[in-house]
Amino acid sequence: MSVGEVNVVLVHGAWADGSSWGKVIHGLKARGMNAIAAALPLTSLGDDVAALNRTLERIDGPVVLAGHAYAGAVIGSVRAENVAALVYVAALAPDEGETVADVFYRGETHPQAPKLAPDSHGLIWLPEDAFAAAFAQHATAQEVQLLAAVQRPIAAACIGEKVARPLWKDRPSWFLVAEEDRMISPATQHFMARRMGAEVHSCEADHAPIVTAAQTVTDLIVKAAQAVLDR
Protein backbone atom coordinates (compact mmCIF):
# COMPACT_ATOMS: atom_id res chain seq x y z
CA MET A 1 0.00 0.00 0.00
CA SER A 2 1.04 3.58 -0.59
CA VAL A 3 0.12 6.72 1.34
CA GLY A 4 -2.32 7.45 -1.49
CA GLU A 5 -4.57 4.75 -0.04
CA VAL A 6 -4.96 6.66 3.22
CA ASN A 7 -7.65 9.34 3.20
CA VAL A 8 -7.10 12.70 4.85
CA VAL A 9 -9.91 14.77 6.34
CA LEU A 10 -8.99 18.35 7.22
CA VAL A 11 -11.04 20.29 9.75
CA HIS A 12 -11.01 24.09 10.04
CA GLY A 13 -11.16 26.04 13.26
CA ALA A 14 -12.95 29.17 14.41
CA TRP A 15 -13.09 32.21 12.10
CA ALA A 16 -12.19 30.05 9.10
CA ASP A 17 -13.62 27.69 6.53
CA GLY A 18 -12.26 24.83 4.45
CA SER A 19 -10.40 27.19 2.14
CA SER A 20 -7.88 27.80 4.93
CA TRP A 21 -6.49 24.33 4.12
CA GLY A 22 -6.03 25.19 0.43
CA LYS A 23 -2.23 24.96 0.30
CA VAL A 24 -2.20 21.72 2.30
CA ILE A 25 -4.84 20.20 0.02
CA HIS A 26 -2.71 20.99 -3.03
CA GLY A 27 0.35 19.52 -1.31
CA LEU A 28 -1.44 16.30 -0.41
CA LYS A 29 -3.01 15.94 -3.84
CA ALA A 30 0.47 16.33 -5.37
CA ARG A 31 1.50 13.27 -3.35
CA GLY A 32 -1.46 11.28 -4.66
CA MET A 33 -3.52 11.50 -1.49
CA ASN A 34 -7.28 11.93 -1.20
CA ALA A 35 -7.85 15.09 0.85
CA ILE A 36 -11.22 16.43 1.90
CA ALA A 37 -11.96 19.61 3.86
CA ALA A 38 -14.90 19.09 6.22
CA ALA A 39 -17.27 21.99 6.81
CA LEU A 40 -18.29 22.81 10.40
CA PRO A 41 -21.32 24.97 11.26
CA LEU A 42 -19.51 26.37 14.35
CA THR A 43 -22.85 26.51 16.16
CA SER A 44 -22.05 24.14 19.03
CA LEU A 45 -19.46 21.47 19.72
CA GLY A 46 -22.16 18.81 19.36
CA ASP A 47 -23.27 20.22 15.99
CA ASP A 48 -19.69 20.34 14.76
CA VAL A 49 -18.98 16.75 15.80
CA ALA A 50 -22.16 15.60 14.06
CA ALA A 51 -21.15 17.42 10.86
CA LEU A 52 -17.71 15.85 10.92
CA ASN A 53 -19.19 12.40 11.52
CA ARG A 54 -21.37 12.86 8.42
CA THR A 55 -18.24 13.56 6.37
CA LEU A 56 -16.44 10.53 7.80
CA GLU A 57 -19.40 8.28 7.00
CA ARG A 58 -18.87 8.97 3.29
CA ILE A 59 -15.29 7.68 3.29
CA ASP A 60 -14.12 4.11 2.81
CA GLY A 61 -10.76 3.10 4.18
CA PRO A 62 -8.46 4.49 6.87
CA VAL A 63 -8.52 8.21 7.64
CA VAL A 64 -5.93 10.59 9.01
CA LEU A 65 -7.99 13.28 10.70
CA ALA A 66 -6.32 16.69 11.01
CA GLY A 67 -7.68 19.62 12.97
CA HIS A 68 -6.56 23.23 13.28
CA ALA A 69 -7.10 25.31 16.45
CA TYR A 70 -10.67 24.84 17.80
CA ALA A 71 -11.09 21.81 15.53
CA GLY A 72 -8.78 19.87 17.82
CA ALA A 73 -11.72 19.53 20.20
CA VAL A 74 -13.93 18.38 17.34
CA ILE A 75 -11.61 15.70 15.96
CA GLY A 76 -11.08 14.41 19.49
CA SER A 77 -14.82 14.00 19.97
CA VAL A 78 -15.69 11.77 17.01
CA ARG A 79 -15.97 8.01 17.33
CA ALA A 80 -15.76 6.89 13.70
CA GLU A 81 -14.05 3.53 13.37
CA ASN A 82 -12.23 4.52 10.17
CA VAL A 83 -10.18 7.21 11.94
CA ALA A 84 -6.71 5.69 12.21
CA ALA A 85 -4.65 8.69 13.33
CA LEU A 86 -5.06 12.27 14.53
CA VAL A 87 -2.97 15.32 13.61
CA TYR A 88 -3.28 18.46 15.72
CA VAL A 89 -2.08 21.71 14.14
CA ALA A 90 -1.75 24.49 16.72
CA ALA A 91 -4.90 22.89 18.06
CA LEU A 92 -6.84 22.65 21.28
CA ALA A 93 -7.07 19.25 22.95
CA PRO A 94 -9.32 19.33 26.00
CA ASP A 95 -9.32 16.24 28.18
CA GLU A 96 -12.42 14.50 29.47
CA GLY A 97 -14.55 16.92 31.49
CA GLU A 98 -12.77 20.01 30.15
CA THR A 99 -14.09 22.65 27.78
CA VAL A 100 -12.40 24.42 24.90
CA ALA A 101 -12.35 27.57 27.02
CA ASP A 102 -10.48 25.73 29.79
CA VAL A 103 -7.50 25.05 27.54
CA PHE A 104 -7.74 28.16 25.36
CA TYR A 105 -7.44 30.45 28.39
CA ARG A 106 -4.99 28.23 30.28
CA GLY A 107 -1.79 30.12 29.40
CA GLU A 108 -0.78 33.74 29.41
CA THR A 109 -2.49 35.91 26.82
CA HIS A 110 -0.19 37.40 24.21
CA PRO A 111 -0.14 41.22 24.29
CA GLN A 112 -1.37 41.32 20.68
CA ALA A 113 -4.13 38.76 21.14
CA PRO A 114 -7.57 40.23 20.46
CA LYS A 115 -10.22 40.74 23.12
CA LEU A 116 -13.03 38.32 22.35
CA ALA A 117 -16.67 38.54 23.38
CA PRO A 118 -19.96 37.25 21.93
CA ASP A 119 -22.33 39.64 20.16
CA SER A 120 -26.07 39.86 20.79
CA HIS A 121 -26.56 36.61 18.86
CA GLY A 122 -24.05 34.68 20.96
CA LEU A 123 -21.50 34.70 18.13
CA ILE A 124 -17.83 35.53 18.54
CA TRP A 125 -16.21 37.38 15.65
CA LEU A 126 -12.50 38.01 15.22
CA PRO A 127 -11.76 41.72 14.73
CA GLU A 128 -10.51 42.28 11.19
CA ASP A 129 -7.19 43.77 12.30
CA ALA A 130 -6.50 40.68 14.43
CA PHE A 131 -5.89 38.54 11.36
CA ALA A 132 -2.68 40.44 10.60
CA ALA A 133 -1.76 41.09 14.22
CA ALA A 134 -2.36 37.71 15.86
CA PHE A 135 -4.06 35.09 13.70
CA ALA A 136 -1.62 35.00 10.78
CA GLN A 137 1.07 37.61 11.28
CA HIS A 138 3.41 35.70 8.94
CA ALA A 139 0.91 35.63 6.08
CA THR A 140 1.08 37.83 3.01
CA ALA A 141 -1.24 40.81 2.75
CA GLN A 142 -3.28 38.94 0.15
CA GLU A 143 -3.61 35.88 2.40
CA VAL A 144 -4.68 38.05 5.34
CA GLN A 145 -7.31 39.74 3.19
CA LEU A 146 -8.76 36.39 2.18
CA LEU A 147 -8.78 35.03 5.73
CA ALA A 148 -10.60 38.12 6.98
CA ALA A 149 -13.07 38.13 4.10
CA VAL A 150 -14.20 34.51 4.54
CA GLN A 151 -14.19 34.39 8.34
CA ARG A 152 -17.10 32.60 9.98
CA PRO A 153 -17.97 33.38 13.59
CA ILE A 154 -17.96 30.72 16.28
CA ALA A 155 -20.85 30.40 18.71
CA ALA A 156 -19.98 30.91 22.34
CA ALA A 157 -21.70 27.57 22.98
CA CYS A 158 -18.84 25.79 21.17
CA ILE A 159 -16.28 26.66 23.80
CA GLY A 160 -18.40 25.95 26.88
CA GLU A 161 -19.33 22.29 26.34
CA LYS A 162 -17.43 19.66 28.31
CA VAL A 163 -15.93 16.93 26.20
CA ALA A 164 -16.24 13.19 26.74
CA ARG A 165 -13.30 10.78 26.59
CA PRO A 166 -11.16 12.16 23.74
CA LEU A 167 -10.23 9.95 20.81
CA TRP A 168 -6.53 10.75 21.25
CA LYS A 169 -6.55 8.35 24.19
CA ASP A 170 -7.33 5.53 21.77
CA ARG A 171 -5.57 6.54 18.54
CA PRO A 172 -1.98 7.59 17.73
CA SER A 173 -1.60 11.35 17.45
CA TRP A 174 0.81 13.94 16.12
CA PHE A 175 0.96 17.56 17.26
CA LEU A 176 2.50 20.53 15.45
CA VAL A 177 3.26 23.32 17.93
CA ALA A 178 3.29 26.82 16.45
CA GLU A 179 6.04 28.51 18.45
CA GLU A 180 5.02 32.05 17.46
CA ASP A 181 1.29 31.60 18.01
CA ARG A 182 -0.38 34.69 19.46
CA MET A 183 -3.83 33.11 19.83
CA ILE A 184 -3.04 29.85 21.68
CA SER A 185 -0.01 29.96 23.95
CA PRO A 186 2.83 27.74 22.66
CA ALA A 187 3.37 26.65 26.27
CA THR A 188 -0.23 25.46 26.35
CA GLN A 189 0.27 23.62 23.09
CA HIS A 190 3.31 21.82 24.49
CA PHE A 191 1.35 20.97 27.65
CA MET A 192 -1.53 19.46 25.68
CA ALA A 193 0.77 17.55 23.33
CA ARG A 194 2.70 16.00 26.23
CA ARG A 195 -0.49 15.12 28.05
CA MET A 196 -1.81 13.40 24.93
CA GLY A 197 1.35 11.40 24.44
CA ALA A 198 1.48 12.78 20.90
CA GLU A 199 4.52 12.77 18.66
CA VAL A 200 5.48 16.43 18.95
CA HIS A 201 6.87 18.60 16.18
CA SER A 202 7.30 22.35 16.27
CA CYS A 203 7.93 25.17 13.83
CA GLU A 204 8.44 28.93 14.01
CA ALA A 205 4.93 29.61 12.78
CA ASP A 206 2.02 31.82 13.73
CA HIS A 207 -1.46 30.56 14.62
CA ALA A 208 -2.14 29.59 11.01
CA PRO A 209 0.63 27.20 9.91
CA ILE A 210 -1.88 25.62 7.52
CA VAL A 211 -1.46 28.86 5.55
CA THR A 212 2.00 30.11 6.47
CA ALA A 213 3.87 26.80 6.94
CA ALA A 214 1.78 24.56 4.70
CA GLN A 215 4.68 22.37 3.59
CA THR A 216 5.51 21.53 7.21
CA VAL A 217 1.88 20.66 7.90
CA THR A 218 1.67 18.56 4.74
CA ASP A 219 4.83 16.65 5.63
CA LEU A 220 3.48 15.86 9.09
CA ILE A 221 0.19 14.57 7.73
CA VAL A 222 2.06 12.37 5.25
CA LYS A 223 4.19 11.05 8.11
CA ALA A 224 1.05 10.13 10.05
CA ALA A 225 -0.37 8.42 6.97
CA GLN A 226 2.81 6.40 6.52
CA ALA A 227 2.64 5.34 10.16
CA VAL A 228 -0.89 4.09 9.58
CA LEU A 229 0.38 1.91 6.73
CA ASP A 230 3.33 0.63 8.76
CA ARG A 231 1.20 -0.63 11.63
Side-chain angles (χ1 to χ4, degrees):
M1 291 179 69
S2 69
V3 289
E5 296 175 68
V6 178
N7 303 285
V8 180
V9 175
L10 309 164
V11 191
H12 65 83
W15 311 300
D17 63 13
S19 67
S20 60
W21 286 97
K23 290 183 181 181
V24 176
I25 291 170
H26 291 311
L28 292 170
K29 293 284 189 180
R31 299 197 192 191
M33 301 186 72
N34 178 38
I36 297 170
L40 301 184
L42 300 178
T43 47
S44 73
L45 181 59
D47 290 347
D48 293 338
V49 172
L52 179 53
N53 276 325
R54 288 193 292 272
T55 297
L56 293 168
E57 286 173 5
R58 297 169 43 225
I59 299 173
D60 293 323
V63 172
V64 172
L65 188 54
H68 172 237
Y70 160 73
V74 182
I75 68 173
S77 297
V78 298
R79 295 293 180 268
E81 291 295 328
N82 56 346
V83 176
L86 301 168
V87 177
Y88 286 72
V89 182
L92 294 164
D95 201 349
E96 186 170 3
E98 292 180 338
T99 68
V100 169
D102 288 336
V103 284
F104 182 75
Y105 291 109
R106 179 182 182 275
E108 289 187 19
T109 301
H110 192 278
Q112 290 176 273
K115 300 291 189 293
L116 301 173
D119 64 13
S120 60
H121 303 287
L123 301 175
I124 303 171
W125 295 84
L126 193 67
E128 187 168 347
D129 60 359
F131 283 95
F135 192 90
Q137 70 268 20
H138 295 173
T140 66
Q142 186 176 27
E143 289 167 342
V144 168
Q145 288 172 356
L146 179 60
L147 287 167
V150 303
Q151 84 149 302
R152 298 171 59 240
I154 184 171
C158 293
I159 67 173
E161 297 179 35
K162 292 182 179 181
V163 304
R165 178 185 172 88
L167 191 61
W168 47 259
K169 292 189 174 182
D170 304 306
R171 301 287 194 281
S173 59
W174 285 256
F175 199 116
L176 182 65
V177 176
E179 298 290 356
E180 297 183 8
D181 197 327
R182 296 176 180 174
M183 297 292 294
I184 302 172
S185 164
T188 295
Q189 293 181 44
H190 278 288
F191 162 78
M192 292 183 294
R194 287 193 304 270
R195 182 172 69 172
M196 294 164 63
E199 180 175 311
V200 183
H201 297 253
S202 66
C203 63
E204 299 303 313
D206 54 25
H207 181 62
I210 59 176
V211 175
T212 60
Q215 186 62 57
T216 300
V217 175
T218 302
D219 289 345
L220 185 58
I221 292 171
V222 171
K223 183 173 185 177
Q226 187 61 57
V228 168
L229 294 176
D230 293 343
R231 287 210 304 270

